[in-house]
Amino acid sequence: MVQTTLTRRSLVSLLGAATAFQILPAAAQTPAAAGQNGQIPGMPAKFGYDDVVKRAQDLSSAPFDATIPPLPPALEKLDFDAWRDIRFRPEKALLAGSGGQFQVQTFHLGHLYKRPVTINTIRDGIVTPIPYSASLFDYGKTKFDKPLPVNLGFAGFRVHYPLNMPKVWDELISFLGASYFRFLGRDQQYGLSARGLGIGTGLLDGHEEFPFFREFWFDTPEANADRLTLYALLDSPSTTGAYRFDVYPSNETAVDINVTLFPRKQIVNIGLAPLTSMFFVGENDRHLNDRNRYDDYREELHDSDGLLIHSSTGEWIWRPLQNPQIQQVSYFDANNVRGFGLMQRDRSFNTYQDLELAYQSRPSYWIEPHGDWGDGRVELVELSTNSETADNIIASWIPNAPVEPGKALTYSYKITAMLDDKRMVPGGHTEHTFTAPARALGSKDPPTPGSRRFLIDFAGGDLDYFSKTPEMVELVPSTTNGTVTGSFLVSNPQINGLRAAFDIDLPVGETTVVRAFLRSGNRALTETWTYRWTVDQL
């Protein structure tokens, strides 16, 4: 079932095998005094995740401190180009020479990035803070009248690794701004972002809260390590949190994340494993180009073109993204969800024709919960934008029950950066989505007000087998509002699949959610395609 509303803009600790998403009394999260990290009694304790959990718990009992130390005016007034011209000197990379193939470079404060974060390394269990020094950076054309303070701090960091070539250190993962982070697999270019936590992303009052990471710790890896482990301390008016990130560079880089949250107050709308992306224009909403004042040689512009959900029943759901006229939120019932993600499914350069931005190489991020997250829903927020530079898409999992203060929340999950999500779907998948007036091609008769035609190309699975005999396949359309007035199904030899189409009739000004899939007998042949439609979108 899908619920929709209109809006303004706005697990897991291994404490039990049966349930991985747990809400526990805060005291139950306090690490044991001795032996917790495996050290020998009487020896100095080795710093680890339990220490970050303890710090998050202690921080949650104190009032939230929103203070941001003022930046020197010269940094405060930097524009984006001047800030970007400040670059870390690669020869001074952290962990270089001691961290195997992982190297860390920091980002300089300035422009939009005004809140300093503390960065530490851990070697043999001992924490060493990384002090700021101007000598770490090449300031390029950016000049300052006065020396910068010695205790300035950093805006964030990025990790480099020989991802695409053995002797070239490519950017692997970066943390910059609030709780945002991005990472890459082989032959991928940055697009969408992940976030540590979302609070209030879909609430009608538009008061979204942006939790942020205050401090990071890098565990120095062995020379031949296949992963990098880092910890982070999160803070916000509503909650604190301890995070462990295990980063596995690969063709499809994966990040395992363990989280322990300590709410300061009740949180009604908390988004776990949130993703943020951009969708400006796509094949399904080209009729809205005039509204977007879109005049460009590129036919489509997006970092992601759909939301994919794998439900606990085994159903795969595909929802094409939209750039709506009015900002909107959609909810997908997802109790014990098996996975969800924002996907860039269209990988053809001809779709984008952008030699510099390479939208066809931007990764999809797929979330897989560890264990059972319980009752909840996937929330999709779509904000209206007239620019391809705005992140207007948010997806996250929302527990149905509010998060209460005094009860620690633990959960874990894996994010994978991939270029091909179609292989995960066992049956046919959605290849294209189009909408058109509900009338015969070339007809001079105007369509009925409130009517619309939806065309979906399905390919993959067994559809190649059925592609020459579409009469053996049934199209199953449905709508939550209005009526389905007609449908047809034809072969599509261009994709070795089938093209399904159906018309709906809906009162002007109303909204509906439509669904469709293909079946043969009692067997579903495809994922379930779903779409939100409002008549006055035209």
Side-chain angles (χ1 to χ4, degrees), residues 182 190-193 275-282 294 298 300-306 321-323 342-344 352 354 357-359 362-363 380-395:
R182 304 191 295 176
Y190 277 141
L192 80 167
S193 300
L275 303 173
T276 299
S277 191
M278 179 276 291
F279 182 90
F280 179 48
V281 64
Y294 173 66
R298 299 166 297 173
E300 298 187 30
L301 297 169
H302 46 74
D303 290 335
S304 308
D305 56 9
L321 298 178
Q322 301 173 0
N323 179 5
L342 290 176
M343 323 307 287
Q344 183 78 314
Y352 311 102
D354 197 311
L357 298 180
Y359 285 108
R362 303 201 170 192
L380 174 65
V381 181
E382 295 166 301
L383 307 173
S384 180
T385 183
N386 60 4
S387 170
E388 66 177 297
T389 63
D391 283 342
N392 63 320
I393 304 295
I394 307 169

Side-chain angles (χ1 to χ4, degrees), residues 393-414:
I393 304 295
I394 307 169
S396 60
W397 189 85
I398 313 289
N400 285 340
V403 174
E404 301 293 344
K407 296 182 179 179
L409 181 67
T410 65
Y411 59 98
S412 68
Y413 58 99
K414 179 172 74 172

Side-chain angles (χ1 to χ4, degrees), residues 146-165:
K146 299 179 180 179
L148 296 174
V150 295
N151 59 345
L152 191 61
F154 303 105
F157 64 88
R158 57 189 179 188
V159 178
H160 290 246
Y161 180 87
L163 186 63
N164 296 294
M165 298 178 64

